[in-house]
């Protein structure tokens, strides 16, 4: 525990020292996960587990044999001499010592299981360490941890896990021996592309660029929407102004019609015409205004007629639907009345068809007189 504390303190010191310079780059691996993904190791591990299972069976058989010896000694102890009892106890102790030695030999800290597992893991570990060093040099990692080791990791972000990348490299290392130089070159290019695609720093930079691009596009869209809204408001204001001007012209034309002069012809005494030389331009302007107003009125009348036709068609549909609904209700009411009448007729027929014998007889004779009371 003290050793881990010292290592942690040293690590924190390195972090604080490097933090003053550049950003610290950290990655981690899971050696157990990597070993499980290697097919050769999985197969050898299975064989080793089968061998360990056989060792456990042998130990269980030996343990059962010792148990039987103890039970036999306990059952026969009253019939045996002291020398025989001591001899059997020595035999049991010897077999227990053999069992303990066998267990230590197979499953102890320096036993066959641990040593064979170390022999099995070491080649893969060497390859993993080589790959980790290469990746650390390429990606400029400051620290690479093993998640499955004794060093406790309270939290580890998935994006800093390079275990899958190492598994892929291990698989390609096995294939590399069977490939030609051209295929090896292609494989190296694929590895480089995958490393760049899985580099968390590059992924973060790409995400930041994508976010900035999305923000710029959103700002452009917002500005465009604001410009469209402003243009739409201007168009609406222009239409409203045109409608107001048309209304003013209509009102002015109506006023001129009511206040028309009494005569527009020349004076019979030889005086000047009341309209003067500018009568023709005013007449042309009034004619154009009247034509525009006539077109507007015609269009308004056509729109009103279409609207009225639509409303009349809608009212006709609603009227027909209401009539159909009333007819359906009337048929339902008539059917209910017919059923009720048929039910009453059946009840009346049943009542009239009852036999006369079922009716109570009418008492015509007086009840007998109680003569006991007179006595």
């Amino acid at each position: 525990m003290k050793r881990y504390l010292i290592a942690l303190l040293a690590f924190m010191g390195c972090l604080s020292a490097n933090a003053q310079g550049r950003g610290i780059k950290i990655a981690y691996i899971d050696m157990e996960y990597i070993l499980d993904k290697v097919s050769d190791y999985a197969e050898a591990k299975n064989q080793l587990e089968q061998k360990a299972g056989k060792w456990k069976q042998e130990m269980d058989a030996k343990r059962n044999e010792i148990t039987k010896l103890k039970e036999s000694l306990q059952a026969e102890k009253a019939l045996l001499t002291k020398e025989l009892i001591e001899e059997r106890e020595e035999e049991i102790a010897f077999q227990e010592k053999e069992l303990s030695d066998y267990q230590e030999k197979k499953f102890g800290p320096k036993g066959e299981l641990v040593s064979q597992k170390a022999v099995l893991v070491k080649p893969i570990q060497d390859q993993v360490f080589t790959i980790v060093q290469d990746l650390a040099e390429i990606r400029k990692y400051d620290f690479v941890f093993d998640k499955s080791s004794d060093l406790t990791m309270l939290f580890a972000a998935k994006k800093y896990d390079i275990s899958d990348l190492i598994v892929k490299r291990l698989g390609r290392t096995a294939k590399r021996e069977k490939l030609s130089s051209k295929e090896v070159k292609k494989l190296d290019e694929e590895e480089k592309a995958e490393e760049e695609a899985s580099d968390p720093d590059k992924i973060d930079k790409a995400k930041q660029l994508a976010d900035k691009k999305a923000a710029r596009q959103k700002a452009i869209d917002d500005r465009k929407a604001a410009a469209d809204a402003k243009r739409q408001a201007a168009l609406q204001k222009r239409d409203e102004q045109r409608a107001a001007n048309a209304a003013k012209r209509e009102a002015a034309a109506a006023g001129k019609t009511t206040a028309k002069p009494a005569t527009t012809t020349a004076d019979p005494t030889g005086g000047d015409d009341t309209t003067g030389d500018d009568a023709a331009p005013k007449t042309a302007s009034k004619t154009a205004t009247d034509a525009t107003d006539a077109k507007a009125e015609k269009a308004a009348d056509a729109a009103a007629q279409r609207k009225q036709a639509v409303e009349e068609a809608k009212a006709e549909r609603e009227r027909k639907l209401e009539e159909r609904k009333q007819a359906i209700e009337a048929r339902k009411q008539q059917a209910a009345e017919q059923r009720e009448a048929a039910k009453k007729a059946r009840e009346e027929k049943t009542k009239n068809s009852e036999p006369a014998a079922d009716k109570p007889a009418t008492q015509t004779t007086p009840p007998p007189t109680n003569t006991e009371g007179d006595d």
Side-chain angles (χ1 to χ4, degrees):
M1 184 66 184
K2 185 178 180 180
R3 183 181 63 185
Y4 296 148
L5 182 59
I6 294 172
L8 183 60
L9 292 174
F11 171 65
M12 295 300 294
C14 294
L15 288 181
S16 60
N18 289 331
Q20 298 176 358
R22 61 178 180 83
I24 299 172
K25 296 189 68 175
I26 300 174
Y28 69 90
I29 63 171
D30 188 347
M31 184 61 76
E32 293 181 358
Y33 172 80
I34 294 171
L35 293 174
D36 290 338
K37 292 295 182 179
V38 178
S39 58
D40 295 339
Y41 174 78
E43 183 178 355
K45 182 182 178 182
N46 188 22
Q47 295 177 0
L48 187 59
E49 289 178 352
Q50 291 179 1
K51 189 180 293 186
K54 291 181 181 179
W55 294 341
K56 288 181 180 180
Q57 290 178 0
E58 293 175 1
M59 290 174 59
D60 292 338
K62 191 69 174 176
R63 195 174 289 110
N64 291 334
E65 183 179 350
I66 294 172
T67 303
K68 289 180 181 179
L69 290 175
K70 288 181 178 180
E71 292 175 353
S72 176
L73 176 61
Q74 189 67 26
E76 299 176 359
K77 198 170 186 180
L79 304 176
L80 299 176
T81 61
K82 184 178 179 181
E83 291 77 7
L84 291 174
I85 293 173
E86 291 177 354
E87 183 178 351
R88 289 197 178 184
E89 287 177 349
E90 290 177 359
E91 178 68 19
I92 292 171
F94 177 76
Q95 293 194 17
E96 286 179 342
K97 179 71 168 53
E98 282 187 343
L99 178 61
S100 178
D101 293 341
Y102 185 82
Q103 183 175 356
E104 183 71 17
K105 179 181 178 183
K106 299 296 183 183
F107 299 98
K110 298 181 180 179
E112 293 183 19
L113 182 62
V114 175
S115 60
Q116 290 186 18
K117 190 174 182 180
V119 171
L120 180 63
V121 171
K122 191 175 186 310
I124 303 174
Q125 284 181 336
D126 293 340
Q127 294 181 34
V128 170
F129 293 155
T130 302
I131 295 173
V132 166
Q133 291 176 358
D134 293 340
L135 290 175
E137 185 176 355
I138 294 171
R139 295 189 176 183
K140 307 300 181 184
Y141 287 132
D142 295 303
F143 300 96
V144 179
F145 299 101
D146 182 7
K147 186 179 179 181
S148 61
S149 64
D150 294 334
L151 180 63
T152 303
M153 297 183 70
L154 300 180
F155 174 75
K158 182 63 179 174
K159 67 178 181 178
Y160 299 116
D161 188 0
I162 59 174
S163 301
D164 289 325
L165 190 59
I166 291 175
V167 170
K168 290 180 181 179
R169 278 212 172 191
L170 287 172
R172 286 172 179 163
T173 302
K175 295 178 182 179
R176 196 180 293 270
E177 299 175 357
K178 303 177 182 179
L179 300 177
S180 62
S181 58
K182 186 177 181 180
E183 291 173 340
V184 170
K185 185 177 180 181
K186 183 179 179 181
L187 190 63
D188 292 337
E189 292 176 356
E190 291 178 357
E191 286 181 356
K192 186 177 179 181
E194 285 184 359
E195 289 169 5
E196 292 178 354
S198 61
D199 191 347
D201 292 336
K202 293 185 178 180
I203 293 173
D204 292 340
K205 288 181 181 178
K207 187 176 182 301
Q208 291 175 2
L209 290 174
D211 292 341
K212 289 181 180 179
K213 186 176 180 181
R216 287 197 301 269
Q217 186 63 38
K218 186 176 183 301
I220 292 171
D221 294 339
D222 292 342
R223 287 196 297 270
K224 185 177 179 182
D228 292 340
K230 188 175 181 180
R231 184 164 53 253
Q232 188 68 24
L235 292 173
Q236 184 177 0
K237 186 176 181 180
R238 186 190 65 185
D239 294 340
E240 291 176 355
Q241 186 66 33
R242 286 181 178 178
N245 293 336
K248 289 180 181 179
R249 286 195 299 269
E250 291 177 0
K256 287 181 180 180
T257 303
T258 55
K260 188 176 180 180
T263 177
T264 57
T265 57
D267 191 354
T269 60
D272 294 336
D273 190 356
T274 57
T275 57
D277 295 336
D278 59 344
K282 290 182 179 180
T283 304
S285 176
K286 185 175 183 302
T287 303
T289 303
D290 293 342
T292 303
D293 295 341
K295 288 182 180 179
E297 291 177 0
K298 187 176 181 181
D301 293 339
Q305 290 177 1
R306 287 195 298 271
K307 184 176 180 181
Q308 183 178 1
V310 171
E311 291 178 353
E312 290 177 355
K314 183 177 179 181
E316 182 65 18
R317 286 197 301 272
E318 291 178 354
R319 184 184 64 78
K320 289 182 178 180
L321 289 173
E322 185 65 25
E323 289 179 355
R324 192 178 298 114
K325 184 177 179 181
Q326 292 177 359
I328 292 171
E329 293 293 335
R331 286 198 295 271
K332 287 183 179 180
Q333 183 67 23
Q334 185 178 2
E337 292 176 356
Q338 290 177 356
R339 286 195 299 271
E340 186 67 22
K343 182 178 179 182
K344 289 182 178 180
R346 286 195 300 271
E347 290 177 355
E348 187 67 24
K349 184 177 179 181
T350 304
K351 184 176 180 182
N352 294 331
S353 62
E354 289 180 356
D358 293 342
K359 296 181 180 180
T362 304
Q363 187 175 359
T364 55
T365 58
T369 304
N370 188 0
T371 57
E372 294 180 358
D374 298 335
D375 294 341

